[in-house]
């Protein structure tokens, strides 16, 4: 069963004015679709087609060497964007609730301090990449700036909340003003979904 491009869980204009409809359309229908198609093409004939994307990325070094780069880039693009759409909502924003709120406060002291650290990770990621709030049993919650389409799953970690800071994620609306995009993005963060991901990761 090949990997399938997930539908957006809301209309393309639902995140306006924070993320515009044309950016969402190109980002989902072209970029994410492209990663999905190229991931499937790279896995074809490897015998890895039916493994989960988390399992594939965590065990990448066992793939044939000539497939590893394509699967790292496109498999990362596939999972990263799948999480990205799900952790945004037109009804999002505000402050975290539930277990993630307590965990953030415990680790960073306050939501504002966490936001500042996360936004700094995102703003200072050089070139294309992501900022992630990840989780692992060993480290608990932690922040990662990751280049290109590298994913927390490469390290066997769970991506709980990530922001895409590739220019394709914001350039139409924000041009070079990455910090403005990051500030606006907090208005669409779906904390209910973040809590679900955190609960599932902790097990
Ligand atoms: Mn992207």
């Amino acid at each position: 069963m090949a990997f399938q491009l997930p539908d957006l869980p809301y209309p393309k204009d639902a995140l306006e004015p924070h993320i515009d409809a044309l950016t969402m359309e190109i980002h989902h229908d072209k970029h994410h679709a492209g990663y999905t198609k190229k991931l499937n093409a790279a896995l074809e004939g490897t015998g890895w087609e039916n493994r989960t994307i988390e399992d594939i990325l965590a065990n990448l070094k066992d793939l044939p060497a000539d497939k590893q780069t394509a699967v790292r880039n496109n498999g990362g693009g596939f999972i990263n964007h799948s999480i990205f759409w799900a952790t945004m909502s037109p009804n999002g924003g505000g402050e975290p609730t539930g277990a993630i709120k307590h965990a953030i406060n415990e680790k960073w002291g306050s939501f504002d301090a966490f936001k500042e650290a996360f936004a700094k990770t995102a703003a200072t990621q050089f070139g294309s990449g992501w900022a992630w709030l990840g989780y692992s049993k060993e480290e608990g919650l932690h922040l990662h700036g990751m280049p290109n389409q590298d994913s927390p799953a490469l390290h066997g970690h769970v991506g709980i909340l990530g922001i895409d800071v590739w220019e394709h994620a914001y350039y139409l609306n924000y041009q070079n003003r990455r910090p403005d995009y990051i500030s606006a993005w907090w208005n669409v963060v779906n904390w209910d979904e973040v809590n679900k991901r955190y609960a599932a990761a902790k097990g």
Side-chain angles (χ1 to χ4, degrees):
M1 178 71 178
F3 289 101
Q4 303 283 330
L5 175 67
D7 290 331
L8 285 175
Y10 34 73
K12 293 189 171 92
D13 62 359
L15 303 182
E16 290 197 346
H18 310 295
I19 303 182
D20 64 286
L22 183 59
T23 294
M24 290 298 291
E25 179 177 332
I26 297 169
H27 203 173
H28 177 269
D29 297 1
K30 305 296 184 193
H31 292 279
H32 197 188
Y35 297 127
T36 307
K37 191 176 164 192
K38 288 175 190 167
L39 169 64
N40 288 328
L43 288 175
E44 205 177 316
T46 60
W48 286 46
E49 295 90 334
N50 294 318
R51 296 170 70 160
T52 66
I53 190 61
E54 291 86 352
D55 181 35
I56 290 169
L57 290 172
N59 294 287
L60 194 69
K61 64 181 190 320
D62 299 327
L63 251 185
D66 64 335
K67 302 285 189 182
Q68 289 182 15
T69 300
V71 172
R72 179 178 187 147
N73 291 339
N74 294 293
F78 174 78
I79 188 175
N80 287 344
H81 290 87
S82 299
I83 298 169
F84 189 53
W85 312 134
T87 50
M88 296 190 290
S89 164
N91 305 312
E95 302 225 345
T97 54
I100 197 75
K101 170 186 172 165
H102 295 296
I104 284 172
N105 286 342
E106 197 171 302
K107 175 107 187 187
W108 284 277
S110 68
F111 178 53
D112 283 346
F114 164 76
K115 262 178 94 172
E116 192 179 326
F118 188 102
K120 187 178 176 195
T121 302
T124 58
Q125 175 60 42
F126 182 74
S128 296
W130 293 72
W132 281 101
L133 172 64
Y135 178 84
S136 69
K137 291 261 190 276
E138 300 73 30
E139 296 173 68
L141 288 174
H142 54 277
L143 291 174
H144 268 311
M146 305 196 82
N148 305 313
Q149 292 296 350
D150 282 1
S151 171
L154 278 174
H155 307 292
H157 298 178
V158 180
I160 303 288
L161 176 66
I163 183 171
D164 188 344
V165 294
W166 283 56
E167 287 184 346
H168 69 223
Y170 61 87
Y171 215 82
L172 290 179
N173 199 19
Y174 296 95
Q175 292 82 48
N176 60 316
R177 303 186 307 278
R178 187 191 285 187
D180 291 354
Y181 156 69
I182 297 166
S183 297
W185 171 80
W186 292 108
N187 293 302
V188 296
V189 172
N190 182 348
W191 290 109
D192 289 342
E193 184 64 25
V194 174
N195 259 312
K196 282 185 201 156
R197 295 188 60 76
Y198 180 51
K202 279 178 55 172

